[in-house]
């Protein structure tokens, strides 16, 4: 399988006060393979969001000579990659003054390099709103959306331009059980269509259900990168699920077992 | 791309409640000008013109300060900017798209209010000045507000919005008080003060040049073209300077 994301020697240092520095990502190395759903797992403050932000160039990594961040077959993160990418950040804020239609129309234009074809947009807009079960709220201002609706509208935005790769930061946080089920269904459908997905989550039960591969990060270091089965079965005991395996590995690493 | 970003900013800002509130306050101020002007027998026209455009200036400047110091910061804080920057949009396009959108909103509000004031003065009070006088004053107000807004946006990239707001207000005051400082420096006859005043005047935006309202516009009808042109070019220079500096900071900023 070809990697859609290949990262090596990814380090990020933040200034911590005037003189001291804090290394938050320590020479990360991992791969996300094409056509798979890959879970990005880690405890709070382990560096998940910082890693995703480095991938998307919101944060600039330390310029190490052997730093590599390759997307598809592109060595540079630029418009060629961005056109094939769907992204949804951790906090579900959207421009509240816009209606769902206006918001998605602007993103359709931005994502498709200024495409102003209204019919094309309407067809795509209707489709994503139907899939997100937001048909009744098409022309409602986003300020009147509930948190769950915001999350789904955000996901609609990520899917709008038919991406080949989805990067989602905690896509299921704040959703009720029904909303989580819907998002999982959509991720499965997109994956069937051939979309590669990298998503971070604290909800390891969801990872168990969805992911084929995992990237596990702890205190800015990659703890594991590979198939889920390998993660849950290595060691002396075979663990029942990702949650148990995750807890065990973390404790082993920190010398608590 | 930049056009889409401008549209995004304009749509958002024209629907903001605080923008509506400020416009209403400005319109009320216009109405207040009428009884105020009638207190003066000889200078009614001048008082009305002056106070009316003071309302336009305060509104445009206030909005420029609030939008400049808060808007980009809010975009970054709420991560709405990430959705845009994940698209094929460069940081240059994003920064200037946002700035131009804000400028369009300021221009719409400034010219709309000036037009309403002009109608009020012309048809209610019977103002005798040419239309171009109001256009000239409004353009000066707009340029001044844009400079302050672009400066506030630049400041908001590395300090908190409140501090950016007050720093930009400080810039506005300094820019308008440069002639006073020059006057006091000359009066003091202190070579150090005079030298400081001269250097400071050269490295600060001379916003008083754009304040056509406070000039003897009524007596001269219109400023000579060369004076107007120089003032506007001076304003444009500072807009571009602060805009470019802001972009240079934003270009390499970690959007944490």
């Amino acid at each position: 399988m070809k990697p859609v994301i290949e990262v090596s020697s990814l380090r990020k240092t933040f200034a911590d006060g005037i003189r001291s520095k804090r290394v938050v990502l320590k020479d990360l190395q991992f791969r996300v393979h094409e056509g798979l759903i890959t879970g990005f797992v880690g405890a709070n403050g382990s560096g998940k969001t910082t890693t995703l932000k480095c991938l998307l160039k919101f944060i600039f990594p330390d310029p190490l000579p052997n730093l590599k961040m390759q997307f598809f077959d592109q060595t540079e993160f630029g418009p060629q990659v961005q056109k094939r990418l769907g992204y949804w950040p951790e906090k579900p804020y959207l421009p509240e003054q816009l209606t769902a239609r206006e918001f998605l129309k602007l993103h359709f234009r931005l994502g498709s390099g200024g495409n102003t074809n209204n019919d094309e947009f309407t067809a795509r807009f209707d489709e994503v709103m139907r899939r997100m079960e937001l048909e009744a709220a098409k022309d409602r201002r986003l300020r009147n959306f509930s948190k769950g609706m915001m999350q789904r509208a955000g996901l609609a935005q990520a899917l709008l331009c038919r991406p080949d790769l989805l990067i989602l930061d905690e896509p299921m946080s704040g959703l009720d059980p029904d909303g989580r089920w819907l998002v999982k269904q959509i991720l499965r459908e997109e994956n069937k269509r051939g979309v590669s997905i990298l998503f971070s989550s604290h909800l390891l039960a969801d990872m168990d259900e969805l992911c084929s591969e995992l990237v596990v990060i702890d205190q800015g270091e990659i703890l594991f990168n590979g198939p889920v089965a390998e993660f849950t079965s290595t060691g002396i005991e075979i663990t029942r699920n990702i949650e148990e395996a995750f807890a065990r590995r973390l404790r082993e690493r920190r010398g608590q077992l | 791309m930049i056009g889409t970003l401008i549209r995004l900013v304009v749509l958002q800002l024209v629907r903001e409640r605080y923008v509506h509130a400020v416009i209403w306050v400005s319109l009320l101020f216009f109405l207040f000008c009428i009884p105020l002007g009638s207190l003066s027998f000889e200078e009614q026209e001048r008082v009305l013109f002056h106070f009316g455009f003071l309302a336009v200036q305060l509104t445009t400047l206030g909005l420029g300060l609030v939008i400049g110091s808060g808007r980009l910061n809010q975009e970054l804080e709420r991560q709405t900017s990430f959705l845009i920057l994940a698209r094929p949009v460069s940081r240059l396009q994003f920064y200037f798209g946002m700035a131009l959108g804000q400028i369009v909103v300021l221009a719409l509000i400034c010219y709309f209010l000036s037009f309403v004031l002009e109608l009020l003065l012309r048809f209610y009070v019977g103002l005798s000045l040419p239309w171009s006088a109001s256009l000239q004053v409004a353009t000066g107000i707009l340029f001044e507000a844009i400079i302050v807004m672009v400066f506030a946006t630049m400041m908001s990239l590395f300090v908190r919005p409140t501090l950016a707001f007050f720093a930009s207000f400080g810039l506005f005051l300094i820019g308008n008080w440069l002639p006073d400082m020059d006057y006091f420096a000359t009066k003091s006859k202190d070579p150090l003060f005079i030298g400081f005043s001269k250097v400071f005047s050269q490295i600060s935006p001379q916003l008083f040049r754009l304040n056509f309202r406070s000039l003897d516009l009524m007596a001269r009808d219109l400023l000579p073209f060369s004076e107007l042109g120089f003032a506007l070019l001076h304003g444009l220079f500072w807009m571009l300077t602060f805009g470019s500096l802001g972009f240079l900071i934003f270009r390499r900023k970690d959007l944490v």
Side-chain angles (χ1 to χ4, degrees):
Chain A
M1 260 178 300
K2 278 199 310 188
V4 281
I5 302 177
E6 195 170 359
V7 174
S8 60
S9 300
L10 172 60
R11 185 189 297 172
K12 180 62 193 174
T13 312
F14 283 117
D16 193 8
I18 297 169
R19 286 186 182 171
S20 59
K21 287 186 171 179
R22 189 165 47 96
V23 183
V24 289
L25 300 179
K26 298 164 189 163
D27 302 333
L28 302 191
Q29 185 165 352
F30 63 89
R31 283 176 170 195
V32 174
H33 288 106
E34 192 175 29
L36 297 183
I37 302 183
T38 305
F40 197 28
V41 189
N44 285 334
S46 56
K48 295 190 297 294
T49 299
T50 308
T51 308
L52 296 183
K53 285 182 179 176
C54 280
L55 289 179
L56 297 161
K57 287 278 173 75
F58 300 150
I59 291 178
F60 295 98
D62 295 355
L64 298 184
N66 44 354
L67 168 70
K68 182 182 178 185
M69 287 203 292
Q70 189 165 326
F71 288 81
F72 307 106
D73 47 358
Q74 305 283 325
T75 48
E76 276 291 312
F77 181 82
Q80 292 306 319
V81 176
Q82 287 166 308
K83 274 182 188 164
R84 302 174 66 183
L85 188 79
Y87 170 67
W88 176 234
E90 190 181 0
K91 292 178 195 167
Y93 282 112
L94 297 175
E96 295 175 342
Q97 293 78 17
L98 303 188
T99 64
R101 187 186 296 275
E102 288 167 340
F103 168 65
L104 290 179
K105 192 169 190 174
L106 288 163
H107 274 276
F108 183 75
R109 283 188 183 176
L110 292 175
S112 54
N115 183 355
T116 50
N117 187 330
N118 224 18
D119 295 338
E120 211 175 300
F121 163 72
T122 309
R124 192 68 195 133
F125 172 70
D126 289 342
E127 189 195 327
V128 289
M129 292 303 268
R130 180 183 49 75
R131 287 178 69 191
M132 291 296 156
E133 297 180 0
L134 288 170
E135 279 170 305
K138 277 179 182 174
D139 293 299
R140 203 188 294 173
R141 291 257 178 106
L142 293 167
R143 82 153 63 114
N144 300 320
F145 274 34
S146 68
K147 196 179 175 190
M149 288 167 81
M150 282 269 199
Q151 196 85 331
R152 281 184 279 151
L155 199 55
Q157 166 274 139
L159 299 178
L160 191 67
C161 297
R162 290 202 170 84
D164 294 320
L165 170 65
L166 275 173
I167 297 181
L168 310 168
D169 197 356
E170 306 273 356
M172 277 165 276
S173 77
L175 289 178
D176 58 18
D178 184 48
R180 274 170 54 194
W181 178 85
L182 179 71
V183 171
K184 279 191 271 186
Q185 276 299 107
I186 285 160
L187 294 186
R188 280 196 196 99
E189 284 169 22
E190 285 299 308
N191 185 236
K192 261 188 199 165
R193 201 174 66 77
V195 177
S196 315
I197 300 168
L198 171 68
F199 80 98
S200 73
S201 180
H202 284 110
L203 308 165
L204 297 183
D206 296 335
M207 295 265 178
D208 247 335
E209 267 186 67
L210 289 170
C211 300
S212 322
E213 291 199 341
L214 289 177
V215 178
V216 184
I217 186 170
D218 184 46
Q219 293 172 343
E221 287 179 72
I222 295 291
L223 203 61
F224 176 84
N225 179 203
V228 172
E230 204 178 297
F231 184 66
T232 50
S233 66
T234 39
I236 303 159
E237 291 174 62
I238 295 174
T239 48
R240 280 168 300 190
N241 54 32
I242 296 177
E243 195 164 40
E244 195 178 322
F246 180 68
R248 181 170 283 277
R249 289 213 182 211
L250 241 62
R251 279 167 178 72
E252 269 172 13
R253 185 170 182 269
R254 294 170 186 177
Q256 292 170 352
L257 269 183
Chain B
M1 285 299 174
I2 288 188
T4 309
L5 290 170
I6 292 172
R7 196 176 140 81
L8 170 73
V9 177
V10 172
L11 275 178
Q12 282 180 272
L13 280 175
V14 295
R15 290 175 185 170
E16 284 281 6
R17 283 178 191 157
Y18 69 83
V19 174
H20 299 169
V22 170
I23 292 172
W24 279 114
V25 169
S26 189
L27 292 173
L28 284 175
F29 202 94
F30 290 169
L31 295 178
F32 170 72
C33 286
I34 295 167
L36 193 75
S38 63
L39 294 175
S40 165
F41 292 110
E42 294 197 352
E43 297 283 2
Q44 188 180 11
E45 213 178 49
R46 193 184 182 87
V47 169
L48 282 170
F49 193 84
H50 207 85
F51 273 89
F53 274 105
L54 175 69
V56 178
Q57 185 185 23
L58 290 179
T59 306
T60 318
L61 180 77
L63 281 175
L65 281 167
V66 172
I67 293 170
S69 58
R71 187 144 173 82
L72 184 61
N73 191 280
Q74 193 185 43
E75 288 270 348
L76 300 177
E77 196 90 349
R78 292 185 164 189
Q79 305 194 356
T80 40
S81 55
F82 292 173
L83 297 178
I84 296 167
L85 288 168
R87 300 280 177 205
V89 175
S90 68
R91 287 199 180 199
L92 179 77
Q93 287 171 323
F94 177 80
Y95 193 80
F96 283 103
M98 289 283 147
L100 289 173
Q102 292 170 188
I103 289 171
V104 168
V105 172
L106 277 193
L108 284 174
I109 291 169
C110 181
Y111 287 124
F112 167 73
L113 289 174
S114 304
F115 182 68
V116 172
L117 178 69
E118 178 75 21
L119 288 181
L120 195 72
L121 294 178
R122 196 163 290 276
F123 298 111
Y124 188 79
V125 187
L127 185 79
S128 56
L129 274 173
W131 284 83
S132 47
S134 297
L135 183 69
Q136 203 176 74
V137 175
T139 306
I141 289 171
L142 178 65
F143 267 54
E144 184 184 58
I146 293 172
I147 293 169
V148 173
M149 184 183 73
V150 176
F151 180 75
T153 307
M154 182 192 79
M155 290 296 290
S156 74
L157 289 170
F158 51 91
V159 297
R160 289 183 181 279
T162 322
L163 201 57
F165 180 96
F166 285 111
S168 312
F169 186 62
L171 180 89
F172 164 75
L173 293 179
I174 290 169
N176 278 290
W177 286 348
L178 286 175
D180 300 310
M181 187 173 72
D182 199 36
Y183 173 79
F184 285 120
T186 317
K187 282 279 170 194
S188 74
K189 291 176 184 156
D190 179 353
L192 195 69
F193 190 12
I194 293 169
F196 172 79
S197 169
K198 276 189 181 157
V199 171
F200 202 74
S201 296
Q202 293 307 313
I203 58 165
S204 310
Q206 299 171 359
L207 297 179
F208 65 89
R209 287 186 185 279
L210 295 162
N211 199 348
F212 307 134
R213 180 177 54 87
S214 67
L215 299 174
D216 52 344
L217 192 71
M218 302 292 282
R220 291 196 289 164
D221 279 2
L222 286 171
L223 282 172
F225 185 75
S226 59
E227 205 172 318
L228 181 75
F230 177 75
L232 295 183
L233 273 179
H234 181 82
L236 201 63
F237 166 77
W238 282 104
M239 276 178 221
L240 291 174
T241 303
F242 290 141
S244 308
L245 283 174
F247 171 67
L248 287 176
I249 298 166
F250 184 70
R251 193 173 65 103
R252 295 299 300 173
K253 184 178 167 65
D254 280 335
L255 309 176
V256 182

